[in-house]
Amino acid sequence: MDTKTQGKLDALYVEYARKLPDRIKQLNEQWCHIAGQWTQEAMQDFHRAIHGLCGSSGTYGYHELSVSARVLEVYLKKIVEDKKITDEEILKITELMDEMTKIFFISSQSRSHPVVANQIKSMKQNKLIYIFQKDKKYSSELKKNLGSMGYDSIVFEDVLFFSEAIKKTLPGLIIVDSDYLDKNEMTILQQLHQQDIPVTLFCISSHGDLQTRLKAIRAGSAAFFLKSNELYYLTKAVDQVCASSVSEALRVLIVDDSHSLAEYYSLILQAAGMEVCYITNPLDVLEALNDFRPGLLLLDIYMPDCSGLELAAVLRQESSYAGIPIVFLSTEDDRFKQLAALNLGGDDFLTKPVLPQHLVAAVRSRAKRASVLSSYMTKDSLTGLLNHTNVLQHLEIELSRASRFDSTLCFMMIDIDHFKLVNDTYGHVTGDHVLRKLSEVLLTSLRKTDLAGRYGGEEFAVILPNTTAEAAVELCARIRVQFSQCVFKTEDGQDFSVSFSAGIAAYPDFSDTKNLIKSADRALYQAKHEGRNREKIFRG
Ligand code: GH3
Ligand code: MG
Ligand code: MG
């Protein structure tokens, strides 16, 4: 973790410690007031305050205080639910308050400053891949492919070098040929697993029989690939596991009414390489979801105005947010409440105080699973780009954002020239290659915020937020030239290349999706009409 993040974390600790004595004092005053003049509302506020103290004090290293606040919190919860209080209960709470205050004064001297820096350092995405493979031709091809996607890989043929390397640097992924699974290497891999070392294992093999597949499973392999299949599928899967430079950093939206905790969590997640935005008012969530487009929501349960559970229920009823994973974060350790939270559409439940490494691991694993699942639903299976429906959905979202921020946006339709001829001359399989190549060129040429989709058979759509018509034309021309320079090979070794035509329309020239699409389509038609291999813009 960089020193800047550590500095900010330190500042949060100092600030928390500075305010804590006052906070304890205020809680005592609050309780004195309630004991003298009981109301249900005042009791709810008090319960919430103790609940907040319980979560935050644990996070900032006041463990004893957190434990004693938890005891008080559980007691208060029952009273809030009963909506009445007896004299004995008042006495008991006074006793628990005194106990907690005493513990605070005794334990604050010995507070442990959690070591955050080192724990998080190892949580960054690991882009190193070890390949265990004897077939030099295959491994060099694989290495090249992975390299083009931003991964470093090292090829091993010998177990000695491999076990030495593993001791020095852990890779993010190991790709092993099934030929190795009978020998010593297997033991090394099993040891990794037994030590709970988070390295994913992929198995590649020349044989797809059940015995080989079982061997792979027993070695802990997460996926199995036939070497005769195209490398495309393997590298795609690698990318899904390791998240490449092309795919966006994980975006997490935190909703927690405590400023200090929300900031603390965001620093931890940022240090682990994620993009984070937090809000402290749950009523701002829809706006934040729209503007920030998170891949995961970290939701505190107890908040004034609207609880995390209610918020989750609302989001689950809205189809555009139904797929977003939710991780609940709360001091709630009541199993039934947790189950209710999961029932309401939560994907996981973390109990405060959460250790930084648990927070990062939970967020990452939930987000990864959701993105694999949703990629099956939202992505085109041949190219991995957005599918037709999703292009339309995203265009809608981006347009409304552009209009709110008074910004520009371009929509681009791309259609491959004479593609029917490519299929007829070289075959459908070669045609599919061309489609995948175009999607690859698109993905590598676009910015993180741009969106590319397969609009139809050999038609592609690109959404370019924050882009003027002139810039879009320039970008399109660059992509077009790059694509037309790609050389394809037929099965009998013949070389050929392919071009495309494109139509562009811009917001605010056209202000709704329907007109934007229609105008881009018209421009495309014009480009075809004028001789293909060109881009046109429709100005109305
Ligand atoms: P133009 O330059 O006017 O666009 O001519 P074209 O031949 O590209 O246009 P047309 O719309 O007549 O043909 C599109 C072809 O795209 C027909 C169809 O077989 C092919 N196609 C559509 N989807 C796929 C696919 O998934 N794989 C392959 N290989 N071909 C596809
Ligand atoms: Mg077409
Ligand atoms: Mg075409």
Side-chain angles (χ1 to χ4, degrees):
M1 179 160 50
D2 55 60
T3 44
K4 221 166 103 201
T5 310
Q6 184 66 66
K8 283 188 196 163
L9 275 173
D10 287 344
L12 277 177
Y13 280 93
V14 171
E15 182 64 9
Y16 189 82
R18 194 178 65 78
K19 286 190 177 152
L20 193 55
D22 245 6
R23 194 163 166 187
I24 301 283
K25 192 168 148 244
Q26 273 169 16
L27 284 170
N28 273 291
E29 287 165 4
Q30 200 176 347
W31 171 241
C32 280
H33 196 76
I34 297 173
Q37 194 181 358
W38 190 86
T39 66
Q40 172 72 2
E41 288 76 39
M43 196 63 195
Q44 273 172 348
D45 284 350
F46 184 59
H47 171 237
R48 194 174 291 126
I50 294 294
H51 182 89
L53 178 72
C54 175
S56 61
S57 57
T59 304
Y60 288 113
Y62 295 86
H63 297 295
E64 292 94 339
L65 177 63
S66 176
V67 169
S68 101
R70 161 83 37 96
V71 175
L72 180 56
E73 196 252 315
V74 169
Y75 195 80
L76 292 174
K77 189 160 68 185
K78 193 183 154 295
I79 292 164
V80 169
E81 279 163 7
D82 290 350
K83 298 194 168 108
K84 60 180 171 34
I85 195 163
T86 63
D87 287 349
E88 287 102 87
E89 283 168 338
I90 291 183
L91 271 179
K92 175 75 182 167
I93 294 172
T94 308
E95 214 173 86
L96 288 173
M97 271 304 280
D98 289 349
E99 175 75 13
M100 192 185 82
T101 310
K102 205 161 71 201
I103 284 177
F104 161 68
F105 282 114
I106 298 169
S107 69
S108 61
Q109 272 84 18
S110 63
R111 174 171 67 119
S112 57
H113 186 319
V115 212
V116 177
N118 291 337
Q119 291 167 348
I120 299 173
K121 211 168 156 193
S122 59
M123 295 176 193
K124 283 244 178 191
Q125 301 284 7
N126 188 339
K127 295 205 145 194
L128 178 64
I129 296 173
Y130 287 172
I131 304 170
F132 224 142
Q133 172 64 251
K134 277 207 179 81
D135 177 347
K136 289 204 170 58
K137 189 162 165 269
Y138 185 86
S139 56
S140 84
E141 189 69 9
L142 180 57
K143 199 173 152 72
K144 203 172 85 194
N145 260 275
L146 292 171
S148 75
M149 293 170 93
Y151 293 95
D152 287 326
S153 46
I154 303 177
V155 179
F156 297 92
E157 291 182 32
D158 187 288
V159 62
L160 268 179
F161 288 122
F162 177 70
S163 64
E164 279 310 304
I166 275 270
K167 273 183 221 146
K168 285 206 193 84
T169 319
L170 271 184
L173 178 80
I174 301 173
I175 303 176
V176 62
D177 192 300
S178 66
D179 285 351
Y180 285 96
L181 293 182
D182 297 320
K183 307 175 193 147
N184 310 348
E185 294 81 351
M186 177 95 169
T187 337
I188 301 174
L189 298 173
Q190 277 166 343
Q191 275 168 4
L192 286 178
H193 261 270
Q194 279 155 13
Q195 289 163 30
D196 235 356
I197 293 175
V199 183
T200 310
L201 180 70
F202 279 6
C203 182
I204 45 177
S205 178
S206 319
H207 338 274
D209 57 294
L210 187 62
Q211 275 305 328
T212 312
R213 285 173 189 269
L214 271 176
K215 222 161 50 177
I217 291 282
R218 287 178 186 147
S221 162
F224 186 91
F225 299 89
L226 278 177
K227 279 158 75 180
S228 53
N229 276 350
E230 279 178 68
L231 276 180
Y232 171 83
Y233 298 102
L234 173 56
T235 47
K236 195 91 201 141
V238 168
D239 210 36
Q240 244 162 17
V241 168
C242 303
S244 78
S245 55
V246 178
S247 71
E248 289 180 44
L250 175 57
R251 299 156 78 89
V252 180
L253 176 65
I254 301 173
V255 187
D256 194 315
D257 59 320
S258 153
H259 248 290
S260 169
L261 279 186
E263 194 165 341
Y264 174 83
Y265 296 133
S266 37
L267 284 170
I268 302 272
L269 295 177
Q270 276 164 355
M274 303 177 197
E275 271 183 54
V276 187
C277 162
Y278 73 79
I279 52 174
T280 50
N281 182 355
L283 300 181
D284 293 337
V285 76
L286 290 182
E287 218 173 359
L289 280 170
N290 255 329
D291 293 343
F292 184 63
R293 283 190 297 144
L296 183 137
L297 202 59
L298 200 60
L299 261 187
D300 187 24
I301 291 213
Y302 282 100
M303 292 180 288
D305 299 330
C306 160
S307 88
L309 295 178
E310 291 171 323
L311 210 54
V314 169
L315 296 181
R316 286 304 181 236
Q317 283 175 3
E318 180 60 48
S319 66
S320 38
Y321 307 125
I324 184 171
I326 297 177
V327 174
F328 284 110
L329 201 57
S330 172
T331 21
E332 188 60 70
D333 57 354
D334 166 342
R335 282 314 292 177
F336 289 113
K337 265 272 165 55
Q338 297 196 354
L339 284 176
L342 298 181
N343 252 338
L344 269 172
D347 293 281
D348 208 345
F349 202 104
L350 289 168
T351 305
K352 291 183 192 176
V354 192
L355 287 176
Q357 61 269 44
H358 287 170
L359 177 66
V360 173
V363 164
R364 193 169 277 160
S365 83
R366 288 300 143 185
K368 195 180 280 173
R369 208 183 65 176
S371 88
V372 171
L373 279 178
S374 82
S375 76
Y376 288 131
M377 293 189 293
T378 62
K379 300 276 169 72
D380 166 57
S381 58
L382 179 73
T383 59
L385 299 182
L386 296 175
N387 63 23
H388 183 92
T389 317
N390 266 269
V391 169
L392 297 181
Q393 275 172 1
H394 279 286
L395 184 59
E396 196 89 48
I397 295 171
E398 293 302 330
L399 255 185
S400 84
R401 197 204 317 255
S403 94
R404 262 180 303 130
F405 288 99
D406 241 344
S407 137
T408 55
L409 175 149
C410 281
F411 183 67
M412 195 156 100
M413 294 255 272
I414 294 177
D415 186 295
I416 300 182
D417 296 331
H418 301 304
F419 192 58
K420 199 170 169 319
L421 202 64
V422 173
N423 275 327
D424 292 349
T425 320
Y426 309 112
H428 217 263
V429 176
T430 308
D432 283 357
H433 261 301
V434 175
L435 293 175
R436 278 204 289 265
K437 187 70 197 175
L438 177 54
S439 69
E440 196 183 301
V441 171
L442 286 174
L443 283 179
T444 48
S445 326
L446 298 172
R447 297 168 304 182
K448 267 188 189 177
T449 44
D450 300 334
L451 293 151
R454 184 155 172 226
Y455 202 67
E458 30 85 76
E459 273 179 23
F460 293 75
V462 180
I463 302 167
L464 302 163
N466 248 318
T467 307
T468 61
E470 293 70 30
V473 171
E474 215 181 292
L475 171 72
C476 186
R478 217 171 52 231
I479 296 176
R480 183 171 52 77
V481 170
Q482 193 189 340
F483 178 67
S484 68
Q485 285 169 351
C486 294
V487 179
F488 298 98
K489 270 206 186 323
T490 62
E491 274 164 15
D492 50 9
Q494 241 179 300
D495 286 352
F496 72 98
S497 48
V498 183
S499 66
F500 69 67
S501 306
I504 299 165
Y507 171 87
D509 292 353
F510 303 95
S511 55
D512 61 277
T513 43
K514 217 172 115 206
N515 276 316
L516 208 58
I517 294 173
K518 203 167 83 191
S519 309
D521 204 30
R522 278 192 187 166
L524 172 61
Y525 179 79
Q526 204 187 344
K528 290 276 183 193
H529 197 68
E530 289 182 14
R532 296 180 171 80
N533 193 15
R534 70 196 61 214
E535 51 281 316
K536 283 277 155 193
I537 183 151
F538 192 78
R539 292 289 197 177

mmCIF file with all atom_site columns, all heavy atoms in Angstrom, residues 233-247:
data_model
loop_
_atom_site.group_PDB
_atom_site.id
_atom_site.type_symbol
_atom_site.label_atom_id
_atom_site.label_alt_id
_atom_site.label_comp_id
_atom_site.label_asym_id
_atom_site.label_entity_id
_atom_site.label_seq_id
_atom_site.pdbx_PDB_ins_code
_atom_site.Cartn_x
_atom_site.Cartn_y
_atom_site.Cartn_z
_atom_site.occupancy
_atom_site.B_iso_or_equiv
_atom_site.pdbx_formal_charge
_atom_site.auth_seq_id
_atom_site.auth_comp_id
_atom_site.auth_asym_id
_atom_site.auth_atom_id
_atom_site.pdbx_PDB_model_num
ATOM 1   N N   . TYR A 1 233 ? -10.481 -19.306 -25.848 1.00 0.00 ? 233 TYR A N   1
ATOM 2   C CA  . TYR A 1 233 ? -11.307 -19.649 -24.687 1.00 0.00 ? 233 TYR A CA  1
ATOM 3   C C   . TYR A 1 233 ? -10.481 -19.661 -23.401 1.00 0.00 ? 233 TYR A C   1
ATOM 4   O O   . TYR A 1 233 ? -10.927 -19.239 -22.353 1.00 0.00 ? 233 TYR A O   1
ATOM 5   C CB  . TYR A 1 233 ? -11.972 -21.016 -24.893 1.00 0.00 ? 233 TYR A CB  1
ATOM 6   C CG  . TYR A 1 233 ? -12.894 -21.011 -26.078 1.00 0.00 ? 233 TYR A CG  1
ATOM 7   C CD1 . TYR A 1 233 ? -12.516 -21.575 -27.287 1.00 0.00 ? 233 TYR A CD1 1
ATOM 8   C CD2 . TYR A 1 233 ? -14.136 -20.387 -25.991 1.00 0.00 ? 233 TYR A CD2 1
ATOM 9   C CE1 . TYR A 1 233 ? -13.359 -21.537 -28.390 1.00 0.00 ? 233 TYR A CE1 1
ATOM 10  C CE2 . TYR A 1 233 ? -14.980 -20.332 -27.076 1.00 0.00 ? 233 TYR A CE2 1
ATOM 11  C CZ  . TYR A 1 233 ? -14.588 -20.910 -28.280 1.00 0.00 ? 233 TYR A CZ  1
ATOM 12  O OH  . TYR A 1 233 ? -15.409 -20.844 -29.353 1.00 0.00 ? 233 TYR A OH  1
ATOM 13  N N   . LEU A 1 234 ? -9.263  -20.175 -23.529 1.00 0.00 ? 234 LEU A N   1
ATOM 14  C CA  . LEU A 1 234 ? -8.388  -20.240 -22.357 1.00 0.00 ? 234 LEU A CA  1
ATOM 15  C C   . LEU A 1 234 ? -8.027  -18.828 -21.886 1.00 0.00 ? 234 LEU A C   1
ATOM 16  O O   . LEU A 1 234 ? -8.144  -18.506 -20.702 1.00 0.00 ? 234 LEU A O   1
ATOM 17  C CB  . LEU A 1 234 ? -7.139  -21.050 -22.697 1.00 0.00 ? 234 LEU A CB  1
ATOM 18  C CG  . LEU A 1 234 ? -6.027  -21.100 -21.648 1.00 0.00 ? 234 LEU A CG  1
ATOM 19  C CD1 . LEU A 1 234 ? -6.548  -21.607 -20.320 1.00 0.00 ? 234 LEU A CD1 1
ATOM 20  C CD2 . LEU A 1 234 ? -4.884  -21.991 -22.121 1.00 0.00 ? 234 LEU A CD2 1
ATOM 21  N N   . THR A 1 235 ? -7.608  -17.979 -22.831 1.00 0.00 ? 235 THR A N   1
ATOM 22  C CA  . THR A 1 235 ? -7.185  -16.635 -22.432 1.00 0.00 ? 235 THR A CA  1
ATOM 23  C C   . THR A 1 235 ? -8.365  -15.824 -21.893 1.00 0.00 ? 235 THR A C   1
ATOM 24  O O   . THR A 1 235 ? -8.222  -15.025 -20.985 1.00 0.00 ? 235 THR A O   1
ATOM 25  C CB  . THR A 1 235 ? -6.531  -15.863 -23.599 1.00 0.00 ? 235 THR A CB  1
ATOM 26  O OG1 . THR A 1 235 ? -7.355  -16.005 -24.752 1.00 0.00 ? 235 THR A OG1 1
ATOM 27  C CG2 . THR A 1 235 ? -5.175  -16.409 -23.904 1.00 0.00 ? 235 THR A CG2 1
ATOM 28  N N   . LYS A 1 236 ? -9.540  -16.083 -22.448 1.00 0.00 ? 236 LYS A N   1
ATOM 29  C CA  . LYS A 1 236 ? -10.753 -15.411 -21.959 1.00 0.00 ? 236 LYS A CA  1
ATOM 30  C C   . LYS A 1 236 ? -11.002 -15.791 -20.486 1.00 0.00 ? 236 LYS A C   1
ATOM 31  O O   . LYS A 1 236 ? -11.320 -14.954 -19.646 1.00 0.00 ? 236 LYS A O   1
ATOM 32  C CB  . LYS A 1 236 ? -11.920 -15.894 -22.825 1.00 0.00 ? 236 LYS A CB  1
ATOM 33  C CG  . LYS A 1 236 ? -13.152 -15.099 -22.719 1.00 0.00 ? 236 LYS A CG  1
ATOM 34  C CD  . LYS A 1 236 ? -13.162 -13.999 -23.760 1.00 0.00 ? 236 LYS A CD  1
ATOM 35  C CE  . LYS A 1 236 ? -14.119 -12.943 -23.279 1.00 0.00 ? 236 LYS A CE  1
ATOM 36  N NZ  . LYS A 1 236 ? -13.707 -11.620 -23.528 1.00 0.00 ? 236 LYS A NZ  1
ATOM 37  N N   . ALA A 1 237 ? -10.842 -17.086 -20.208 1.00 0.00 ? 237 ALA A N   1
ATOM 38  C CA  . ALA A 1 237 ? -11.065 -17.557 -18.840 1.00 0.00 ? 237 ALA A CA  1
ATOM 39  C C   . ALA A 1 237 ? -9.997  -17.004 -17.896 1.00 0.00 ? 237 ALA A C   1
ATOM 40  O O   . ALA A 1 237 ? -10.291 -16.634 -16.758 1.00 0.00 ? 237 ALA A O   1
ATOM 41  C CB  . ALA A 1 237 ? -11.061 -19.079 -18.799 1.00 0.00 ? 237 ALA A CB  1
ATOM 42  N N   . VAL A 1 238 ? -8.764  -16.942 -18.379 1.00 0.00 ? 238 VAL A N   1
ATOM 43  C CA  . VAL A 1 238 ? -7.693  -16.365 -17.574 1.00 0.00 ? 238 VAL A CA  1
ATOM 44  C C   . VAL A 1 238 ? -8.067  -14.941 -17.199 1.00 0.00 ? 238 VAL A C   1
ATOM 45  O O   . VAL A 1 238 ? -7.963  -14.517 -16.053 1.00 0.00 ? 238 VAL A O   1
ATOM 46  C CB  . VAL A 1 238 ? -6.362  -16.344 -18.369 1.00 0.00 ? 238 VAL A CB  1
ATOM 47  C CG1 . VAL A 1 238 ? -5.327  -15.486 -17.654 1.00 0.00 ? 238 VAL A CG1 1
ATOM 48  C CG2 . VAL A 1 238 ? -5.833  -17.752 -18.565 1.00 0.00 ? 238 VAL A CG2 1
ATOM 49  N N   . ASP A 1 239 ? -8.574  -14.238 -18.185 1.00 0.00 ? 239 ASP A N   1
ATOM 50  C CA  . ASP A 1 239 ? -8.931  -12.846 -17.974 1.00 0.00 ? 239 ASP A CA  1
ATOM 51  C C   . ASP A 1 239 ? -10.064 -12.705 -16.962 1.00 0.00 ? 239 ASP A C   1
ATOM 52  O O   . ASP A 1 239 ? -10.109 -11.753 -16.191 1.00 0.00 ? 239 ASP A O   1
ATOM 53  C CB  . ASP A 1 239 ? -9.338  -12.240 -19.315 1.00 0.00 ? 239 ASP A CB  1
ATOM 54  C CG  . ASP A 1 239 ? -9.012  -10.775 -19.358 1.00 0.00 ? 239 ASP A CG  1
ATOM 55  O OD1 . ASP A 1 239 ? -7.972  -10.410 -18.774 1.00 0.00 ? 239 ASP A OD1 1
ATOM 56  O OD2 . ASP A 1 239 ? -9.786  -10.021 -19.949 1.00 0.00 ? 239 ASP A OD2 1
ATOM 57  N N   . GLN A 1 240 ? -10.976 -13.671 -16.997 1.00 0.00 ? 240 GLN A N   1
ATOM 58  C CA  . GLN A 1 240 ? -12.089 -13.601 -16.057 1.00 0.00 ? 240 GLN A CA  1
ATOM 59  C C   . GLN A 1 240 ? -11.606 -13.831 -14.623 1.00 0.00 ? 240 GLN A C   1
ATOM 60  O O   . GLN A 1 240 ? -12.097 -13.226 -13.696 1.00 0.00 ? 240 GLN A O   1
ATOM 61  C CB  . GLN A 1 240 ? -13.145 -14.646 -16.408 1.00 0.00 ? 240 GLN A CB  1
ATOM 62  C CG  . GLN A 1 240 ? -14.447 -14.002 -16.794 1.00 0.00 ? 240 GLN A CG  1
ATOM 63  C CD  . GLN A 1 240 ? -15.342 -14.948 -17.552 1.00 0.00 ? 240 GLN A CD  1
ATOM 64  O OE1 . GLN A 1 240 ? -15.147 -16.154 -17.535 1.00 0.00 ? 240 GLN A OE1 1
ATOM 65  N NE2 . GLN A 1 240 ? -16.332 -14.415 -18.226 1.00 0.00 ? 240 GLN A NE2 1
ATOM 66  N N   . VAL A 1 241 ? -10.622 -14.707 -14.489 1.00 0.00 ? 241 VAL A N   1
ATOM 67  C CA  . VAL A 1 241 ? -10.116 -15.000 -13.152 1.00 0.00 ? 241 VAL A CA  1
ATOM 68  C C   . VAL A 1 241 ? -9.208  -13.872 -12.654 1.00 0.00 ? 241 VAL A C   1
ATOM 69  O O   . VAL A 1 241 ? -9.287  -13.458 -11.509 1.00 0.00 ? 241 VAL A O   1
ATOM 70  C CB  . VAL A 1 241 ? -9.356  -16.347 -13.152 1.00 0.00 ? 241 VAL A CB  1
ATOM 71  C CG1 . VAL A 1 241 ? -8.578  -16.519 -11.869 1.00 0.00 ? 241 VAL A CG1 1
ATOM 72  C CG2 . VAL A 1 241 ? -10.332 -17.479 -13.324 1.00 0.00 ? 241 VAL A CG2 1
ATOM 73  N N   . CYS A 1 242 ? -8.361  -13.376 -13.528 1.00 0.00 ? 242 CYS A N   1
ATOM 74  C CA  . CYS A 1 242 ? -7.358  -12.409 -13.072 1.00 0.00 ? 242 CYS A CA  1
ATOM 75  C C   . CYS A 1 242 ? -7.732  -10.962 -13.343 1.00 0.00 ? 242 CYS A C   1
ATOM 76  O O   . CYS A 1 242 ? -7.086  -10.060 -12.818 1.00 0.00 ? 242 CYS A O   1
ATOM 77  C CB  . CYS A 1 242 ? -6.019  -12.675 -13.736 1.00 0.00 ? 242 CYS A CB  1
ATOM 78  S SG  . CYS A 1 242 ? -5.419  -14.329 -13.459 1.00 0.00 ? 242 CYS A SG  1
ATOM 79  N N   . ALA A 1 243 ? -8.751  -10.725 -14.164 1.00 0.00 ? 243 ALA A N   1
ATOM 80  C CA  . ALA A 1 243 ? -9.153  -9.367  -14.553 1.00 0.00 ? 243 ALA A CA  1
ATOM 81  C C   . ALA A 1 243 ? -8.006  -8.612  -15.216 1.00 0.00 ? 243 ALA A C   1
ATOM 82  O O   . ALA A 1 243 ? -7.063  -8.207  -14.557 1.00 0.00 ? 243 ALA A O   1
ATOM 83  C CB  . ALA A 1 243 ? -9.666  -8.574  -13.361 1.00 0.00 ? 243 ALA A CB  1
ATOM 84  N N   . SER A 1 244 ? -8.098  -8.462  -16.524 1.00 0.00 ? 244 SER A N   1
ATOM 85  C CA  . SER A 1 244 ? -6.982  -7.871  -17.266 1.00 0.00 ? 244 SER A CA  1
ATOM 86  C C   . SER A 1 244 ? -7.055  -6.365  -17.257 1.00 0.00 ? 244 SER A C   1
ATOM 87  O O   . SER A 1 244 ? -7.949  -5.761  -16.707 1.00 0.00 ? 244 SER A O   1
ATOM 88  C CB  . SER A 1 244 ? -7.052  -8.319  -18.710 1.00 0.00 ? 244 SER A CB  1
ATOM 89  O OG  . SER A 1 244 ? -8.031  -7.564  -19.376 1.00 0.00 ? 244 SER A OG  1
ATOM 90  N N   . SER A 1 245 ? -6.073  -5.764  -17.901 1.00 0.00 ? 245 SER A N   1
ATOM 91  C CA  . SER A 1 245 ? -6.042  -4.307  -17.969 1.00 0.00 ? 245 SER A CA  1
ATOM 92  C C   . SER A 1 245 ? -7.209  -3.788  -18.797 1.00 0.00 ? 245 SER A C   1
ATOM 93  O O   . SER A 1 245 ? -7.639  -2.667  -18.629 1.00 0.00 ? 245 SER A O   1
ATOM 94  C CB  . SER A 1 245 ? -4.736  -3.871  -18.614 1.00 0.00 ? 245 SER A CB  1
ATOM 95  O OG  . SER A 1 245 ? -4.613  -4.519  -19.854 1.00 0.00 ? 245 SER A OG  1
ATOM 96  N N   . VAL A 1 246 ? -7.705  -4.621  -19.693 1.00 0.00 ? 246 VAL A N   1
ATOM 97  C CA  . VAL A 1 246 ? -8.811  -4.172  -20.543 1.00 0.00 ? 246 VAL A CA  1
ATOM 98  C C   . VAL A 1 246 ? -10.082 -4.040  -19.718 1.00 0.00 ? 246 VAL A C   1
ATOM 99  O O   . VAL A 1 246 ? -10.809 -3.073  -19.822 1.00 0.00 ? 246 VAL A O   1
ATOM 100 C CB  . VAL A 1 246 ? -9.032  -5.166  -21.707 1.00 0.00 ? 246 VAL A CB  1
ATOM 101 C CG1 . VAL A 1 246 ? -10.202 -4.720  -22.559 1.00 0.00 ? 246 VAL A CG1 1
ATOM 102 C CG2 . VAL A 1 246 ? -7.771  -5.284  -22.543 1.00 0.00 ? 246 VAL A CG2 1
ATOM 103 N N   . SER A 1 247 ? -10.320 -5.048  -18.858 1.00 0.00 ? 247 SER A N   1
ATOM 104 C CA  . SER A 1 247 ? -11.544 -4.969  -18.081 1.00 0.00 ? 247 SER A CA  1
ATOM 105 C C   . SER A 1 247 ? -11.370 -3.942  -16.966 1.00 0.00 ? 247 SER A C   1
ATOM 106 O O   . SER A 1 247 ? -10.277 -3.703  -16.484 1.00 0.00 ? 247 SER A O   1
ATOM 107 C CB  . SER A 1 247 ? -11.904 -6.325  -17.504 1.00 0.00 ? 247 SER A CB  1
ATOM 108 O OG  . SER A 1 247 ? -11.007 -6.650  -16.497 1.00 0.00 ? 247 SER A OG  1
#
